[in-house]
């Protein structure tokens, strides 16, 4: 989806702001949310998509673990594990004001199906060996498709329509665009594609920069000699 | 939301999930201790120091990062397929995840805030030299800057170049000098 999470190449965010001697977690609740996520496991692609569906203002304002919290609450409600009213009531009992906004949450849920089955191990690999041969070979020139989907995808907008060269073959992996929506794993071949900075940003890029990114086969078309 | 509101919300979820037997408070404490104490860039630094001292290991690490780090027995996840990219006189590598904040936890720990914030994610794919300068890292014009956007489940770690004057030092001393930022690629190690 063309959401705020797809940040590559956006202007206006100012300087990077590193923090000296940064702790692993800044707040106790951040650590609790992180550990709950790991313990609950489940479909990582759906979790990512739940975070992407957070409204843009909250996405930016609530910081990283705030987004995890919102994504977690969404998943629990959408999967029927907890109801929105019981979460609200519990938060109120713990001291939340009744007019407090809930965790940063998507308001748009069309097309999001529950998982067919819960994976017991969120950290399990998403690599899935495929019988089929990869369509592209090392050195092939490929163009990233110009697609704008409403659902989950792992192709960032900034590579759309750009031509690059295949520099890595990684075999089959769970295809997030399907898996995030409860349509099975649908493994696809995964490639690393390298783009010259001019291919991405025209004359607006820096000198002597290249960008390599991992893209699934359905995101790519072969560039033939006429291109 | 403010931190206190998010803390309340997180507590509401944890208490409900605990009552339903879906999470266990002791296991949550264990996970937090584990990531606070055992998972971090000190693990990646072990890998780098070994690669600097052992050419065979370095060759294996660059050929198949996942297999090469297996012998260290790190856990912490997010290294199902680890690709290690080497800084050389002609190439400087830097890693980002523009879509979320993918990061090789088992070797680098959990990512710092700046790695997850919009400024780094938006800018480093477009103007990596300018971003690196903000970290005090100037890359010579004749060195290609190679940006890696970890958009799938492959995770990337940079093998930084060792300053020549460090040659011959012990594994432990070398490992103590390898910074997190040098393994993300926003820093070059100096004497």
């Amino acid at each position: 989806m063309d959401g705020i999470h797809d940040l590559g190449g956006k202007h206006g965010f100012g300087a990077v702001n590193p923090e000296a001697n940064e702790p692993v977690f800044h707040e106790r609740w951040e650590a609790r949310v992180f550990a709950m996520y790991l313990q609950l496991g489940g479909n990582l692609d759906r979790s990512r998509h739940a975070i992407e569906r957070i409204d843009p203002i909250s996405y930016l304002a609530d910081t990283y673990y705030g987004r995890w919290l919102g994504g977690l609450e969404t998943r629990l409600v959408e999967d029927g594990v907890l109801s929105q009213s019981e979460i609200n009531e519990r938060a109120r009992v713990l001291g939340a004001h009744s007019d407090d906004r809930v965790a940063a949450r998507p308001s748009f849920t069309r097309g999001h199906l529950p998982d067919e089955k819960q994976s017991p191990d969120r950290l399990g690999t998403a690599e899935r060996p495929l019988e089929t041969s990869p369509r592209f070979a090392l050195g092939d020139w490929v163009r990233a498709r110009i697609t704008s989907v409403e659902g989950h995808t792992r192709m960032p907008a900034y590579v759309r329509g750009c031509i690059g060269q295949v520099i890595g073959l990684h075999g089959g992996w769970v295809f997030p665009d399907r898996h995030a929506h409860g349509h099975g794993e649908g493994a696809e071949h995964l490639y690393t594609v390298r783009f010259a900075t001019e291919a991405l940003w025209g004359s607006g890029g820096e000198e002597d920069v290249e960008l390599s990114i991992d893209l699934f086969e359905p995101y790519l078309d072969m560039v033939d000699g006429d291109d | 939301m403010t931190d206190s509101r998010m803390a309340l919300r997180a507590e509401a979820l944890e208490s409900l999930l605990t009552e339903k037997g879906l999470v266990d408070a002791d296991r949550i404490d264990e996970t937090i201790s584990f990531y606070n104490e055992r998972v971090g860039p000190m693990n990646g630094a072990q890998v780098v120091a070994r690669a600097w001292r052992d050419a065979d290991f370095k060759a294996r690490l660059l050929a198949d990062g996942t297999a090469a780090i297996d012998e260290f027995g790190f856990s912490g996840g997010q290294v199902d397929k680890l690709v290690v990219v080497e800084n050389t006189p002609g190439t400087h590598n830097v890693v980002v995840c523009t879509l979320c904040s993918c990061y090789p936890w088992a070797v680098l720990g959990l990512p710092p805030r700046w790695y997850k914030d919009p400024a780094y994610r938006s800018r480093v794919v477009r103007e990596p030299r300018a971003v690196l300068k903000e970290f005090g890292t100037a890359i010579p014009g004749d060195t290609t800057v190679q940006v890696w956007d970890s958009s799938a489940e492959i995770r990337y770690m940079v093998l930084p170049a060792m300053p020549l004057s460090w040659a011959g030092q012990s594994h432990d001393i070398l490992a103590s000098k390898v910074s997190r930022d040098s393994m993300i690629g926003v820093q070059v190690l100096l004497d």
Side-chain angles (χ1 to χ4, degrees):
Chain A
M1 62 181 281
D2 280 340
I4 186 67
H5 69 285
D6 188 358
L7 283 163
K10 296 285 189 293
H11 284 125
F13 284 106
V16 179
N17 192 16
E19 175 183 338
N21 302 313
E22 183 174 344
V24 176
F25 301 104
H26 291 74
E27 303 286 341
R28 181 179 182 277
W29 69 266
E30 296 182 334
R32 309 298 293 179
V33 167
F34 171 79
M36 276 194 280
Y37 242 102
L38 258 56
Q39 208 173 118
L40 289 166
N43 180 327
L44 175 58
D45 298 307
R46 271 195 81 214
S47 295
R48 287 204 180 110
H49 193 42
I51 288 173
E52 293 164 2
R53 290 185 286 135
I54 291 170
D55 72 274
I57 294 169
S58 303
Y59 184 96
L60 295 175
D62 281 3
T63 74
Y64 183 69
Y65 288 110
R67 299 195 283 269
W68 278 43
L69 173 61
L72 177 61
E73 187 166 320
T74 294
R75 294 236 17 219
L76 292 168
V77 172
E78 289 183 352
D79 288 354
V81 177
L82 300 177
S83 72
Q84 190 63 69
S85 57
E86 72 183 315
I87 298 171
N88 292 347
E89 174 58 17
R90 181 60 55 94
R92 197 189 59 73
V93 167
L94 291 170
H97 299 292
S98 55
D99 59 348
D100 277 357
R101 179 161 71 80
V102 299
R105 286 276 312 283
S107 54
F108 177 79
T109 56
R110 177 157 59 85
H112 296 281
L113 310 174
D115 298 339
E116 300 94 308
K117 61 178 167 66
Q118 287 282 332
S119 161
D121 180 6
R122 179 173 180 270
L123 299 179
T125 182
E127 192 166 8
R128 299 286 183 273
L130 285 175
E131 300 282 318
T132 57
S133 301
R135 184 173 163 218
F136 308 112
L138 289 178
D140 280 352
W141 290 91
V142 291
R143 178 188 277 113
R145 287 191 178 166
I146 299 179
T147 52
S148 173
V149 295
E150 201 167 14
H152 183 60
T153 183
R154 294 297 288 182
M155 188 178 88
Y158 74 88
V159 303
R160 277 183 201 154
C162 298
I163 294 175
Q165 192 167 29
V166 173
I167 63 156
L169 307 177
H170 300 293
W173 290 75
V174 172
F175 188 42
D177 304 40
R178 292 196 195 102
H179 193 226
H181 297 277
H183 297 149
E185 294 187 337
E188 297 280 359
H189 284 284
L190 180 67
Y191 305 85
T192 303
V193 180
R194 179 165 290 172
F195 296 91
T197 196
E198 296 80 7
L200 300 172
W201 316 113
S203 57
E206 293 176 338
E207 293 282 308
D208 216 352
V209 169
E210 294 178 330
L211 179 124
S212 302
I213 180 166
D214 298 324
L215 297 173
F216 287 90
E217 195 163 278
Y219 302 160
L220 301 170
D221 285 317
M222 186 76 86
V223 175
D224 60 36
D226 298 331
D227 276 275
Chain B
M1 267 194 303
T2 61
D3 265 325
S4 64
R5 287 183 181 186
M6 285 196 271
L8 277 176
R9 206 78 196 174
E11 192 182 346
L13 291 185
E14 185 180 338
S15 66
L16 288 167
L17 291 169
T18 303
E19 286 166 17
K20 290 176 188 293
L22 296 171
V23 300
D24 177 84
D26 290 340
R27 277 183 61 203
I28 287 177
D29 291 339
E30 285 165 20
T31 299
I32 294 169
S33 300
F34 182 70
Y35 280 89
N36 268 320
E37 293 157 21
R38 302 278 301 282
V39 186
M42 64 284 188
N43 292 342
Q46 298 289 326
V47 176
V48 170
R50 171 110 186 253
W52 283 346
R53 286 167 48 88
D54 179 343
D56 287 343
F57 174 75
K58 179 174 146 182
R60 285 191 282 124
L61 181 69
L62 296 176
D64 184 345
T66 310
I69 67 160
D70 227 23
E71 54 206 79
F72 290 87
F74 300 137
S75 50
Q78 291 290 308
V79 289
D80 295 333
K81 179 157 184 174
L82 180 69
V83 171
V84 177
V85 290
E86 181 186 17
N87 284 349
T88 64
T91 304
H92 179 87
N93 297 283
V94 59
V95 179
V96 64
C97 169
T98 61
L99 292 173
C100 44
S101 300
C102 297
Y103 194 74
W105 295 353
V107 281
L108 296 189
L110 300 180
R113 266 190 177 166
W114 60 259
Y115 184 88
K116 302 177 283 195
D117 283 346
Y120 182 75
R121 287 163 53 193
S122 62
R123 291 178 55 211
V124 79
V125 291
R126 183 195 279 271
E127 46 172 2
R129 291 178 186 274
V131 169
L132 289 168
K133 267 192 194 142
E134 290 172 20
F135 283 91
T137 303
I139 303 300
D142 56 355
T143 296
T144 300
V145 175
Q146 193 67 244
V147 183
W148 300 84
D149 187 353
S150 14
S151 48
E153 295 304 323
I154 313 243
R155 296 291 168 266
Y156 293 91
M157 180 182 120
V158 175
L159 175 59
M162 183 182 75
L164 290 176
S165 63
W166 295 3
Q169 295 185 1
S170 73
H171 173 93
D172 288 349
I173 288 178
L174 288 176
S176 72
K177 294 178 172 182
V178 178
S179 68
R180 175 196 70 200
D181 287 359
S182 73
M183 294 182 281
I184 303 173
V186 295
Q187 186 187 48
V188 170
L189 297 172
L190 302 171
D191 286 338

